[in-house]
Amino acid sequence: MACQRLFIGLFLVLTITLESILGAPVISQISKDVVASVGDTVEFNCTVEEVGQLSVSWAKRPSESDTNSVVLSMRNFLSLPDQRYNVTVTEGPKAGTATYTFRIQKIEVSDMGPYECQVLVSATEKLTKKLSLQIKTPPVIAENTLKSTLVTEGQNLELTCHANGFPKPTISWTREHNAVMPAGGHSLAEPTLRIRSVHRMDRGGYYCIAENGEGQPDKRLIRVEVEFRPQIAVKTPKIAQMVSHTAELECSVQGYPAPTVVWHRNGVPLQSSPYKEVANTASSSGTTTSVLRIDSVGEDDFGDYYCNATNKLGHADARLHLFPSVIPVPSNW
């Protein structure tokens, strides 16, 4: 027992003496953070003083928040069989100093992240210094970005667009067909498009554009639909026609969702018959043109007619008056 204690004591004295002579290991220099493009070759340098016979490694962590790491090299040997990797050790001019160089050829996006130079001091202790490899990547708009949205007229609207890439992409907005933006101008350099008190004229397509100088900008078209109650426009509220001739009464209806259009007379909906026909035609602009055609007008056909449009937000009416004339009026049909 006495011999064992003597041996331990001598070992401790020898360890302290060696540390005093050799000094504790120090990572005196490590490469700065690196920014590169896919396909480039990058090189990391780590200089260690008083390294002695200690093991120096390069390791990669999955992310900044992850404490676990994958060892890529130990001394001048690779730990992973990747042909893109290379490690070299260069003795320094100062005794006990060496620089450990780790090189990656034809870098890929998956190579991005934090790298550590590690000096294994004991089974439970190691010195570390890290650097970050950032890889330039073209912008890509996030998949969870909206493709369409629905808002009721008068409400406020916010459209937010996110994009990935390095450097961090900038976001701007333009309108389809280069139309004027709701707040004026033809573009907005903001990640969020805000429209206060949305108007029906604000409906349409808006482009979210992400760019960072790498590759081509990425675009996403977002459709904005605006719900609004029906509105009716009448070009000719008073229509003249002779008896036995054809009369046409026309109204133009706007609304979203598309309104149902019905003609009334004396409070009763008009039904199609051999002498009265209603034709509704929708245009690409969202306007429905409704025409009531009366063949061979009789005396009892003169009077007031109502064009009625209804959707879930409300309804609208327009009055048209058919009266007799002394000469026939040509029909558009």
Side-chain angles (χ1 to χ4, degrees):
M1 179 66 71
C3 290
Q4 186 177 10
R5 288 176 181 173
L6 178 61
F7 176 78
I8 293 173
L10 288 173
F11 177 78
L12 291 173
V13 171
L14 180 61
T15 301
I16 294 170
T17 303
L18 286 172
E19 287 186 352
S20 300
I21 296 172
L22 298 175
V26 175
I27 299 177
S28 59
Q29 185 272 336
I30 189 171
S31 297
K32 295 181 179 179
D33 291 346
V34 178
V35 176
S37 299
V38 171
D40 287 351
T41 295
V42 296
E43 190 174 279
F44 311 143
N45 292 309
C46 177
T47 300
V48 183
E49 297 181 10
E50 307 295 349
V51 63
Q53 297 301 311
L54 298 176
S55 178
V56 179
S57 303
W58 278 102
K60 183 179 187 297
R61 295 197 341 220
S63 66
E64 291 287 351
S65 60
D66 201 321
T67 57
N68 297 319
S69 60
V70 177
V71 176
L72 305 175
S73 68
M74 295 183 67
R75 294 191 178 93
N76 60 342
F77 298 101
L78 292 175
S79 304
L80 292 177
D82 193 320
Q83 294 182 350
R84 300 178 303 126
Y85 294 168
N86 177 263
V87 62
T88 57
V89 180
T90 306
E91 298 291 335
K94 182 179 177 181
T97 301
T99 297
Y100 297 78
T101 302
F102 190 79
R103 186 180 294 105
I104 309 175
Q105 296 178 323
K106 297 179 181 178
I107 60 172
E108 304 168 355
V109 174
S110 58
D111 294 320
M112 185 166 58
Y115 289 76
E116 281 186 343
C117 176
Q118 303 176 346
V119 181
L120 191 62
V121 178
S122 69
T124 58
E125 182 184 359
K126 63 183 176 182
L127 300 176
T128 64
K129 279 194 176 180
K130 69 176 181 177
L131 59 85
S132 178
L133 172 60
Q134 295 283 357
I135 299 177
K136 296 178 181 179
T137 53
V140 177
I141 294 174
E143 284 299 320
N144 60 357
T145 300
L146 288 175
K147 293 183 179 179
S148 64
T149 188
L150 178 66
V151 62
T152 301
E153 190 171 44
Q155 292 181 338
N156 296 332
L157 175 64
E158 286 192 2
L159 297 177
T160 301
C161 190
H162 299 285
N164 301 314
F166 184 84
K168 183 179 180 180
T170 59
I171 303 295
S172 61
W173 295 86
T174 61
R175 203 164 176 183
E176 194 175 25
H177 309 306
N178 201 32
V180 176
M181 300 289 286
H186 290 275
S187 65
L188 174 70
E190 296 286 344
T192 301
L193 171 62
R194 295 179 174 87
I195 306 176
R196 295 180 59 84
S197 190
V198 172
H199 188 270
R200 67 199 65 177
M201 297 300 293
D202 298 327
R203 59 184 170 167
Y206 292 81
Y207 282 106
C208 163
I209 305 171
E211 49 192 335
N212 65 355
E214 288 294 310
Q216 296 298 316
D218 195 16
K219 285 185 177 184
R220 172 70 58 83
L221 180 63
I222 301 174
R223 288 278 171 200
V224 174
E225 291 289 356
V226 180
E227 292 184 324
F228 61 98
R229 61 186 302 151
Q231 282 193 333
I232 300 178
V234 176
K235 289 183 180 179
T236 310
K238 294 184 178 181
I239 302 96
Q241 189 55 284
M242 283 185 64
V243 171
S244 300
H245 286 76
T246 299
E248 293 172 2
L249 290 72
E250 180 180 317
C251 66
S252 295
V253 178
Q254 286 191 330
Y256 191 85
T260 300
V261 182
V262 178
W263 288 85
H264 289 75
R265 184 164 188 223
N266 299 325
V268 178
L270 293 178
Q271 303 295 329
S272 292
S273 69
Y275 305 104
K276 289 185 177 69
E277 181 181 358
V278 175
N280 294 327
T281 305
S283 70
S284 58
S285 63
T287 299
T288 297
T289 300
S290 185
V291 177
L292 170 62
R293 186 173 187 269
I294 305 173
D295 288 330
S296 188
V297 171
E299 290 289 347
D300 58 349
D301 291 321
F302 294 117
D304 291 336
Y305 292 81
Y306 289 88
C307 174
N308 176 271
T310 304
N311 67 11
K312 70 176 186 178
L313 298 179
H315 70 275
D317 289 293
R319 183 172 68 90
L320 294 87
H321 183 72
L322 177 63
F323 64 94
S325 66
V326 294
I327 60 173
V329 178
S331 170
N332 294 325
W333 287 34

